[in-house]
Amino acid sequence: MKYAALAAAAPAALLLAGCVTAGGETSQALSDDLAASGYVEELHVSAAPDAGISADFATKMQKTLREALDECATGDRPLRLDVDLQTVKYPNPIQSAVMTDTAAVTGAVTLYDLETSETAGQYMIEREVRGGLGAGGAVMMSVMADRQIRGGFAEEICVRAFGAEPQSLMRNVEDDPDSE
């Protein structure tokens, strides 16, 4: 009997947990040398005024990125990282409750070598979290969407540019007090 209840609850738990996808493209990969020896000394996060991205989100993204980059880019060669946020999408609570919805962020990332002033890496990063289904799932998506897309975006930079292991940084995002 208890196994039947667990089997019935498993699909719902998976939907509540969400599905994460990462995409984008690498226009210019950071060299292996800079990936190993670089650290981000300067960090700039911006968004076009017509993108509809709040200053609060950009500030929180900067803080999330700083924390992640301090963990994954630990060399001694100074880099500058510019992030141009292009889109941020939050889930619709009603749609999340009825069928699922997504939270997503897209941005262009450029790394510069501060010793040479040359562009060292360029990436387009897309991060999406899908979840919801039912009132509980909708609440979870509403509460966690902001922190999940910020943390996922930061993790994707660490993975693509600096060779970090996927999911190695997400534990810090879960404890992020700026997510509420």
Side-chain angles (χ1 to χ4, degrees):
M1 174 86 170
K2 71 178 178 180
Y3 295 112
L6 287 173
L14 289 174
L15 285 170
L16 291 173
C19 176
V20 176
T21 57
E25 64 182 57
T26 300
S27 300
Q28 177 184 348
L30 199 60
S31 70
D32 291 342
D33 177 52
L34 282 179
S37 66
Y39 77 97
V40 177
E41 182 175 294
E42 297 177 25
L43 173 61
H44 305 278
V45 176
S46 63
D50 61 345
I53 298 169
S54 72
D56 182 56
F57 181 85
T59 300
K60 288 179 181 179
M61 177 64 87
Q62 179 134 353
K63 182 178 184 246
T64 300
L65 287 169
R66 174 52 61 200
E67 291 169 358
L69 291 165
D70 284 351
E71 189 173 324
C72 74
T74 58
D76 57 6
R77 187 157 176 180
L79 304 171
R80 183 178 93 205
L81 185 132
D82 291 349
V83 175
D84 177 25
L85 295 171
Q86 297 176 350
T87 61
V88 174
K89 179 200 176 293
Y90 291 102
N92 177 312
I94 294 171
Q95 184 172 334
S96 292
V98 175
M99 51 191 251
T100 71
D101 198 8
T102 59
V105 61
T106 302
V109 175
T110 305
L111 285 148
Y112 299 93
D113 183 338
L114 289 176
E115 289 183 4
T116 65
S117 298
E118 293 180 6
T119 301
Q122 291 184 305
Y123 307 86
M124 177 59 71
I125 295 180
E126 300 168 359
R127 188 73 175 209
E128 181 178 281
V129 177
R130 174 171 289 283
L133 197 58
V139 169
M140 292 295 290
M141 279 294 288
S142 294
V143 169
M144 296 177 64
D146 185 73
R147 126 179 54 177
Q148 286 180 332
I149 59 176
R150 284 186 291 114
F153 191 89
E155 178 185 39
E156 198 64 22
I157 293 172
C158 286
V159 168
R160 287 190 192 197
F162 298 101
E165 291 295 317
Q167 299 296 319
S168 63
L169 305 167
M170 293 306 290
R171 67 185 179 280
N172 294 332
V173 175
E174 292 170 2
D175 298 326
D176 182 0
D178 288 335
S179 65
E180 279 72 40

